[in-house]
Amino acid sequence: MGMLDSFRDMDFLDQITLLNEITGSKDITALPGLLDLLRRPLGDTSIDYMVVNALNAVLSQHEAKAVEGLASGHVGYRTLCIRVIGEYGFTSAAPVLTSLGEAETDPDQILEILTALSRLRDPVSLPLFRKHLTAADAFTSALCIEMLGAMGDAPSIPALMAIVQGNETDEAFERCEVTTWKAVEALAAFGTPETLTFLVERLHHKNPTVRRIITDTLVRIGEPVVPLLGARLESGDTDEKILSANLLGFIGHRKGADILVSAMDRGLASDPNVKYAVYEALGRIGTMKGLICLMDGVNEKDDLILMAVVMGLERHVSPGMIKALTALLTKADEQSDRLAKALIASKALRLFDALYEFEGAAAALMDALAESRDAEIIAAFREKLEEIGGERAEDDLDRLPRAESGTRKALAADDSRSMLALHRAILTDLGFEPLTAANGQEAYDIIESGEVVEVVVTDMNMPVMDGMELVERLRATEGCENVPVIMVTTESEASQRNLAEKSGVTAFITKPFQPEALKAKILEVLGR
């Protein structure tokens, strides 16, 4: 006599107690009775739910019975067996599940089978994953893409590449599909020269979100893509050179610094935007060759490039560097003034601390600091002077203006510290209190915190959240529907600007630009 033969005649509490006992004991002899209760449920939601739990527990300890259940004519029981097989890794079921999937036509059942097989990762299932690689259901397709990459299925590489390329067509580039995201990750998982070269060649993918996914993926891969990025820095167009330099900096490998220095030596960074990207990248890596190259950069005339140089040097202060900078600052010419202002605007506190020891350098820096209107910068250097102490520092503290935060606020978002420093200086000169963010998410968090801004200046390409998505979110946020947004970009393709305009961008300014140009653009969008 089975333990569940009289179950239907029991009191509710006795039924719950018995089902709990079966769930704990996982007694296989209860299986026939549980199956009967599944086929002919009592209609009580709690009891029916506990029957399924008990079946799950029993099958979890009896692989053969779970595999046998795949042939059941009861859809609910067969689905339960599929889930148990995947959850508990019953590898013997892989061939049976694959055969079941080949014959299945119901999309929901196909997804159940593929999900279970994704946990088993048996090569026998690869043809089934290939079959549904381009399924109409995006989740099914994404799962297949992910597994083909994880299982290293080389025959699927061309199809995965086609997915990424397909998202660049005129009909598809405006939206990043989940399948494209998964295809990028799958290609990266192969890690072959073929797949990595393909991803590097699509650094400037037409969809900004796909571009960000490719960028983040290549940074995670690291050293293996450094030579490929070097080749792109040499042969790519301007936008590709900029992105390649950025990635070499983010990866931070010494080989990347050698490539960047070589690019400067061979004139591959003659474009101001490329040069700016190279200097920023060298500052992140910090090799001896890179620092020598950065020191050559202190003679740059462009404000933004000079700030990139300064911020790179700020990360790697050394006695030799301080000696050379002191000599430049004490020349009292246009370039020394430009350099001093860049040091202050960049909030280069480590360099300031080291240079302040030398009276001539200190005087040049204090002249630049006394002209600042940025409350945050003045406060930072005030604190540093108080820390340095001494009679000269006391006198210099008295020279500092008592800057007050403005009542008008503006927001700038950019993943470049030197670009943010330039934005701060420009916004401060216009009488704004500048709020800054390193990516779109940080910028949106500022807005969500309740800050009210009169204008937003944002880069297009940023990690975490790019400028396009930031603008879309702003336009969907109450109170921000009509806030002017200026997008700073190096983009040359009309399609990118069209896409940005659709997201709600008010105006554009193209790098490189002079501070006065951005000031004029801000005043223009504000109607002044």
Side-chain angles (χ1 to χ4, degrees), residues 18 44 62 99 192 210 242 256 258 261 280 314 329 464:
L18 181 53
D44 183 294
H62 299 88
S99 296
T192 66
V210 178
I242 292 166
D258 292 340
V261 171
E280 273 217 321
E314 167 78 353
L329 287 168
V464 187

Side-chain angles (χ1 to χ4, degrees), residues 112-133:
E112 290 282 1
I113 292 167
L114 291 170
T115 300
L117 286 169
S118 72
R119 294 173 176 172
L120 303 183
R121 300 199 176 191
D122 191 308
V124 73
S125 63
L126 285 173
L128 188 62
F129 284 118
R130 286 189 214 119
K131 178 180 178 180
H132 295 286
L133 178 64

Side-chain angles (χ1 to χ4, degrees), residues 355-483:
L355 289 165
Y356 194 78
E357 179 181 346
F358 304 95
E359 190 169 349
L365 292 172
M366 287 307 305
D367 287 344
L369 182 56
E371 295 178 11
S372 177
R373 298 173 57 190
D374 190 318
E376 184 177 312
I377 285 178
I378 292 169
F381 282 102
R382 182 180 297 280
E383 185 176 338
K384 175 57 66 176
L385 285 167
E386 289 171 349
E387 179 186 316
I388 292 171
E391 186 176 340
R392 180 152 54 86
E394 291 294 331
D395 290 341
D396 285 336
L397 279 167
D398 290 338
R399 291 182 59 193
L400 293 183
R402 293 286 175 181
E404 297 181 2
S405 297
T407 55
R408 301 164 58 215
K409 296 182 180 181
L411 173 61
D414 201 297
D415 59 325
S416 163
R417 290 177 62 227
S418 47
M419 182 61 80
L420 279 182
L422 181 63
H423 289 333
R424 285 194 65 89
I426 290 169
L427 293 172
T428 301
D429 283 348
L430 290 175
F432 290 104
E433 178 185 340
L435 307 176
T436 57
N439 56 62
Q441 184 61 61
E442 286 186 13
Y444 190 68
D445 289 344
I446 289 172
I447 296 298
E448 278 203 313
S449 72
E451 292 285 5
V452 177
V453 299
E454 291 187 31
V455 65
V456 176
V457 181
T458 180
D459 190 24
M460 177 182 283
N461 300 311
M462 295 181 288
V464 187
M465 182 193 293
D466 57 49
M468 301 277 202
E469 187 176 349
L470 170 62
V471 178
E472 288 172 355
R473 290 204 183 187
L474 288 174
R475 294 307 181 221
T477 300
E478 186 177 357
C480 295
E481 300 92 340
N482 299 311
V483 172

Side-chain angles (χ1 to χ4, degrees), residues 96-302:
V96 183
L97 262 182
T98 301
S99 296
L100 190 65
E102 289 289 351
E104 185 60 68
T105 58
D106 179 76
D108 292 334
Q109 283 294 295
I110 290 171
L111 183 57
E112 290 282 1
I113 292 167
L114 291 170
T115 300
L117 286 169
S118 72
R119 294 173 176 172
L120 303 183
R121 300 199 176 191
D122 191 308
V124 73
S125 63
L126 285 173
L128 188 62
F129 284 118
R130 286 189 214 119
K131 178 180 178 180
H132 295 286
L133 178 64
T134 56
D137 176 61
F139 290 106
T140 300
S141 178
L143 175 62
C144 292
I145 292 168
E146 182 177 355
M147 294 316 303
L148 290 167
M151 296 169 70
D153 183 53
S156 67
I157 289 176
L160 296 172
M161 290 179 173
I163 291 171
V164 178
Q165 289 173 312
N167 209 162
E168 283 195 290
T169 63
D170 291 341
E171 300 78 24
F173 81 92
E174 292 189 9
R175 178 182 174 189
C176 172
E177 303 291 346
V178 64
T179 48
T180 307
W181 166 33
K182 289 297 180 181
V184 169
E185 292 188 339
L187 290 166
F190 284 99
T192 66
E194 177 191 13
T195 59
L196 296 183
T197 298
F198 174 84
L199 292 177
V200 169
E201 288 175 347
R202 271 142 198 90
L203 269 177
H204 199 242
H205 195 283
K206 284 179 72 173
N207 181 277
T209 304
V210 178
R211 194 156 62 233
R212 187 179 75 226
I213 292 167
I214 291 174
T215 296
D216 292 347
T217 300
L218 293 175
V219 171
R220 284 197 301 271
I221 293 170
E223 183 183 355
V225 301
V226 167
L228 302 175
L229 291 169
R232 212 65 191 162
L233 182 59
E234 183 163 345
S235 63
D237 62 24
T238 300
D239 291 319
E240 290 170 329
K241 287 181 177 182
I242 292 166
L243 291 168
S244 296
N246 288 340
L247 261 67
L248 289 170
F250 288 131
I251 291 170
H253 196 276
R254 294 180 65 87
K255 292 178 183 176
D258 292 340
I259 290 170
L260 292 164
V261 171
S262 175
M264 291 290 282
D265 291 342
R266 291 186 294 147
L268 299 177
S270 57
D271 179 272
N273 290 314
V274 178
K275 184 182 291 186
Y276 166 75
V278 168
Y279 279 136
E280 273 217 321
L282 287 171
R284 291 190 178 101
I285 302 172
T287 64
M288 183 58 69
K289 285 183 180 178
L291 291 176
I292 291 171
C293 188
L294 282 169
M295 282 304 301
D296 290 339
V298 297
N299 293 306
E300 292 286 345
K301 302 295 189 292
D302 182 274

Side-chain angles (χ1 to χ4, degrees), residues 286-355:
T287 64
M288 183 58 69
K289 285 183 180 178
L291 291 176
I292 291 171
C293 188
L294 282 169
M295 282 304 301
D296 290 339
V298 297
N299 293 306
E300 292 286 345
K301 302 295 189 292
D302 182 274
D303 292 334
L304 180 59
I305 293 176
L306 189 55
M307 280 198 277
V309 170
V310 167
M311 286 192 166
L313 296 174
E314 167 78 353
R315 293 184 175 101
H316 313 283
V317 178
S318 68
M321 178 194 303
I322 297 304
K323 182 178 179 181
L325 290 176
T326 299
L328 289 169
L329 287 168
T330 52
K331 283 185 175 180
D333 56 15
E334 287 187 9
Q335 188 61 20
S336 65
D337 290 344
R338 194 176 287 116
L339 178 59
K341 289 177 180 177
L343 279 157
I344 297 303
S346 302
K347 203 159 61 175
L349 295 171
R350 292 183 65 211
L351 284 171
F352 180 87
D353 192 10
L355 289 165

